[in-house]
Amino acid sequence: MKKILNDPSHYVDEMLEGFTAAHPEFYAQPERRVIARAGGAIDGKVGIVTGGGSGHLPVFTGYVGPGFLDACAIGDVFASPSAEQMAGAIRRANGGAGVLRLYGNYGGDVMNFDMAGEMVDMEDDIRTATVVLADDVVSAPKEEAEKRRGVAGMIYAFKIAGAAADTMADLDEVTRIAQKAADACRSIGMALSPCIVPQAGKANFEIGDGEMEMGMGIHGEPGIWRDSLKPADAITDEMIDRLLADRPLARGDRVSVLVNSLGATPLEELYIMYRRVRQRFDEAGVEIVMPLVGRYATSMEMTGATLTVIALDDELETLLKAPAACAYWRVG
Amino acid sequence: MKKILNDPSHYVDEMLEGFTAAHPEFYAQPERRVIARAGGAIDGKVGIVTGGGSGHLPVFTGYVGPGFLDACAIGDVFASPSAEQMAGAIRRANGGAGVLRLYGNYGGDVMNFDMAGEMVDMEDDIRTATVVLADDVVSAPKEEAEKRRGVAGMIYAFKIAGAAADTMADLDEVTRIAQKAADACRSIGMALSPCIVPQAGKANFEIGDGEMEMGMGIHGEPGIWRDSLKPADAITDEMIDRLLADRPLARGDRVSVLVNSLGATPLEELYIMYRRVRQRFDEAGVEIVMPLVGRYATSMEMTGATLTVIALDDELETLLKAPAACAYWRVG
């Protein structure tokens, strides 16, 4: 197992201990498997909470911070946190103006966050709302978009909803904007090699030496084709084409673009992909605002990349550019 | 070859095209294989220039920016830039107050930067000085420290020298401080799996499935032992012990610490390592200032990590904390 760890069953808790020790200016761990902002919830501001499995840093818990999220519940690697942990995160995010649950569309997370919402409603009288993120275009057809998984595009919703909450908008308004950001966002991934879930101790899928898989999910969910590895431009072109088929753009449109590594794929290769994205969007007359290239949502040491495009209007662009800070992404 | 690329011979130039397109607020490419600050050299400020092979992003060229470097010459993957490219970078960094050449101790880089210094002295009347970075403690014994290689600790010298130049100190003073930062810095690495140099098309070394190599260099230079993979705490303890044997610390000392991934090793595992570093330094009564955990100096998709410790006095700490910004590291 080519991983630097101690006891696999301590992987997540030891990670969180190092994480909060390294960045005390951003993160606190008020209870087990709950990360909250170092300063705690803000009175009168809508709280935003997320949660999900470990193994995707900086997603999820890295995006807690000013202008981003207020708290996060953390599960084992690739496993949902419990409803109790999610309820704990909601309580930590609560500043008295209600809490938005903003998270990726995975069965366990949906079930547990629904239960957590009922718990805090009954026990704590906290009003909550939900926006489920489902940006992965190849995980279900357009007609069943509600079945799609949430992947790297989630970070745009975190950023934009966080900025909306910072304006002291109410819960309905923050929820509207978060849903608008989610609806404007499309992602697609491709993978070249697997990762190892520590407690399983083996690769989460198998793939040949010269092969790639288009459309694979961030936990190794099957994609749409597997074949010999294509050149970077051909890969990028297909990813762009599939995103634009799902959500067309017109000349004069503005977008932000995220070229994201699943972990092992180096920055060098992300820039080779971004070069092609930029060429294609220049040709199409689509303006790229605030491009992001790096490791924003990973699957530990998986090799591969994802491409996300979010269509911006004035409202979304203003909120995307509003000041925000966490250990991995600082704006303004 | 599990890499996302087009023609391997275009890897570096396509990377640079995407890199400058993604971050125009920081970087410009005024000539082939030279990256300079977007705004150009600053009148009357000592320029700081670096250079080296590609394949280590964010090193080297990522650290061009306000409070950091002024220009960088970029070679092929793991290959020195030419003397002409280095001379070009020196000219782009020149604001009329002289230029410090600040780079890692590798034969080709030293030879070419020496030639570049002679070229700009004769042709352009630019005064230059040199500080060679050699922080890797296992690459040569202490008595031959001048033979040591430069690795991840170089980024501390970039940051501190950049802050010194921002005070409008003269070339001698910036050189003194850069040398002081270099002398205060020690690094050690360990590797679990190789990377692929695009034009070679194969792994740069071989290593067994369950093996690690302590002390391996960032291009796959041999380390000091190879054995079965140890637990994270044992690995971290040995790395700390070897750093402290080379440069002892006393109770009450202040340091900054960098836990750096060589590329594929995920943030989760860096935090598990940082947790142990923090435990050990807490026990030793050594205060950690501004810890860095992430991918600051990589070898593309190599698996492994490096640990750097820099001992701080008031002068170095003030300069380390001074405002600076590039696409990968923002302070203040």
Side-chain angles (χ1 to χ4, degrees), chain A residues 1-6 11 23 57 192 208-209 211 229 232-233 268-269 271 295 328 330 332, chain B residues 1-6 11 17 23 57 192 208-209 211 229 232-233 268-269 271 295 328 330 332:
Chain A
M1 191 178 348
K2 288 281 181 171
K3 294 176 81 73
I4 303 173
L5 47 71
N6 295 301
Y11 190 83
H23 311 291
L57 282 179
L192 294 172
D209 263 355
E211 286 185 325
L229 179 55
D233 285 359
E268 285 80 1
E269 293 162 34
Y271 286 122
R295 292 172 174 98
Y328 312 95
R330 215 162 96 177
Chain B
M1 193 180 345
K2 288 280 182 172
K3 294 176 81 73
I4 303 173
L5 47 71
N6 295 302
Y11 190 83
E17 189 182 335
H23 311 291
L57 281 178
L192 295 171
D209 263 357
E211 285 185 326
L229 178 56
D233 285 0
E268 284 81 0
E269 293 162 33
Y271 286 122
R295 291 172 175 98
Y328 312 94
R330 215 162 96 178

Side-chain angles (χ1 to χ4, degrees), chain A residues 10-186:
Chain A
H10 299 161
Y11 190 83
V12 173
D13 292 305
E14 290 183 354
M15 174 275 283
L16 288 174
E17 189 181 334
F19 169 79
T20 51
H23 311 291
E25 69 277 30
F26 289 117
Y27 311 113
Q29 187 171 192
E31 53 196 272
R32 186 164 177 267
R33 300 295 181 93
V34 174
I35 296 293
R37 286 199 201 182
I42 295 165
D43 259 9
K45 185 183 86 67
V46 168
I48 306 181
V49 71
T50 196
S54 289
H56 303 296
L57 282 179
V59 161
F60 296 86
T61 192
Y63 295 99
V64 169
F68 288 109
L69 310 170
D70 294 275
C72 177
I74 299 112
D76 282 331
V77 172
F78 295 179
S80 178
S82 69
E84 288 73 17
Q85 289 159 347
M86 288 168 166
I90 294 171
R91 289 184 197 107
R92 299 292 171 173
N94 177 36
V99 174
L100 174 62
R101 297 172 292 187
L102 186 62
Y103 61 96
N105 192 24
Y106 294 93
D109 294 320
V110 173
M111 185 179 73
N112 288 340
F113 255 129
D114 283 350
M115 283 175 57
E118 291 170 24
M119 289 163 66
V120 299
D121 177 35
M122 294 204 298
E123 296 167 19
D124 309 275
D125 203 25
I126 300 173
R127 189 180 160 224
T128 62
T130 296
V131 172
V132 174
L133 302 167
D135 50 312
D136 185 347
V137 298
V138 301
S139 55
K142 200 169 179 172
E143 305 72 43
E144 299 177 288
E146 76 285 354
K147 293 186 181 169
R148 288 179 172 174
R149 297 183 294 260
V151 289
M154 293 192 284
I155 71 157
Y156 282 113
F158 296 163
K159 173 70 187 74
I160 289 167
D166 266 3
T167 68
M168 304 308 267
D170 67 17
L171 181 59
D172 290 343
E173 175 69 356
V174 173
T175 303
R176 177 189 71 78
I177 290 169
Q179 187 66 57
K180 183 178 170 184
D183 292 343
C185 195
R186 299 289 186 283

Side-chain angles (χ1 to χ4, degrees), chain B residues 156-173:
Chain B
Y156 282 113
F158 296 162
K159 173 70 187 74
I160 289 167
D166 267 2
T167 68
M168 303 309 266
D170 67 17
L171 181 59
D172 290 344
E173 175 68 356

Side-chain angles (χ1 to χ4, degrees), chain B residues 41-329:
Chain B
I42 294 166
D43 258 9
K45 185 184 85 68
V46 169
I48 307 181
V49 71
T50 196
S54 289
H56 303 296
L57 281 178
V59 161
F60 295 86
T61 192
Y63 295 100
V64 169
F68 288 109
L69 309 171
D70 295 275
C72 177
I74 299 112
D76 282 332
V77 172
F78 295 179
S80 178
S82 68
E84 287 73 16
Q85 289 160 347
M86 287 169 167
I90 294 171
R91 289 184 197 107
R92 299 292 171 173
N94 178 37
V99 175
L100 173 62
R101 298 172 291 187
L102 186 62
Y103 61 95
N105 191 25
Y106 294 92
D109 294 321
V110 173
M111 186 179 72
N112 288 340
F113 255 129
D114 283 349
M115 284 175 56
E118 290 170 23
M119 289 163 65
V120 298
D121 177 34
M122 294 203 298
E123 296 167 18
D124 309 275
D125 203 26
I126 300 172
R127 190 180 160 224
T128 62
T130 296
V131 171
V132 175
L133 302 166
D135 50 312
D136 186 345
V137 298
V138 301
S139 56
K142 200 168 181 174
E143 305 71 42
E144 301 177 285
E146 76 285 353
K147 294 186 181 169
R148 288 179 172 174
R149 297 184 295 261
V151 289
M154 294 192 284
I155 71 157
Y156 282 113
F158 296 162
K159 173 70 187 74
I160 289 167
D166 267 2
T167 68
M168 303 309 266
D170 67 17
L171 181 59
D172 290 344
E173 175 68 356
V174 173
T175 302
R176 177 189 71 78
I177 290 170
Q179 188 65 57
K180 182 177 170 184
D183 292 343
C185 196
R186 299 289 186 283
S187 297
I188 184 169
M190 54 80 64
L192 295 171
S193 78
C195 61
I196 292 172
V197 176
Q199 289 192 262
K202 59 184 178 56
N204 60 337
F205 61 90
E206 289 184 10
I207 185 165
D209 263 357
E211 285 185 326
M212 63 172 282
E213 184 158 325
M214 177 61 74
M216 181 169 270
I218 58 174
H219 310 97
E221 296 93 339
I224 44 180
W225 58 258
R226 182 181 288 205
D227 202 346
S228 58
L229 178 56
K230 305 284 177 283
D233 285 0
I235 293 168
T236 309
D237 279 345
E238 178 172 346
M239 294 170 91
I240 293 171
D241 291 342
R242 289 184 180 275
L243 294 180
L244 296 186
D246 200 83
R247 204 295 186 190
L249 294 170
R251 194 162 290 273
D253 281 351
R254 274 165 301 147
V255 299
S256 182
V257 166
L258 165 61
V259 182
N260 172 61
S261 171
L262 289 175
T265 291
L267 277 172
E268 284 81 0
E269 293 162 33
L270 300 181
Y271 286 122
I272 290 172
M273 294 180 73
Y274 180 70
R275 165 186 167 275
R276 183 63 183 162
V277 171
R278 176 64 185 269
Q279 285 176 348
R280 287 285 309 270
F281 281 37
D282 279 353
E283 285 164 17
V286 171
E287 184 190 356
I288 300 176
V289 171
M290 219 171 87
L292 304 173
V293 180
R295 291 172 175 98
Y296 287 82
T298 69
S299 299
M300 294 180 293
E301 67 278 10
M302 257 174 80
T303 311
T306 66
L307 175 62
T308 299
V309 175
I310 180 169
L312 300 173
D313 62 6
D314 289 345
E315 180 178 53
L316 293 180
E317 184 176 348
T318 300
L319 293 167
L320 181 60
K321 291 179 170 173
C326 67
Y328 312 94
W329 187 11

Side-chain angles (χ1 to χ4, degrees), chain A residues 234-306:
Chain A
I235 294 169
T236 308
D237 279 343
E238 178 171 346
M239 293 170 91
I240 293 171
D241 291 342
R242 289 185 180 275
L243 294 180
L244 296 187
D246 200 82
R247 204 296 187 189
L249 294 169
R251 195 162 289 273
D253 281 351
R254 274 165 301 149
V255 300
S256 182
V257 165
L258 165 62
V259 181
N260 172 61
S261 170
L262 289 175
T265 291
L267 277 171
E268 285 80 1
E269 293 162 34
L270 300 181
Y271 286 122
I272 290 172
M273 294 180 73
Y274 180 70
R275 166 186 168 275
R276 183 63 183 160
V277 171
R278 177 66 185 270
Q279 285 177 347
R280 286 286 308 270
F281 281 36
D282 279 354
E283 285 165 17
V286 171
E287 185 190 356
I288 299 176
V289 171
M290 219 171 87
L292 303 172
V293 180
R295 292 172 174 98
Y296 288 82
T298 69
S299 298
M300 295 180 293
E301 68 278 9
M302 257 174 79
T303 310
T306 66

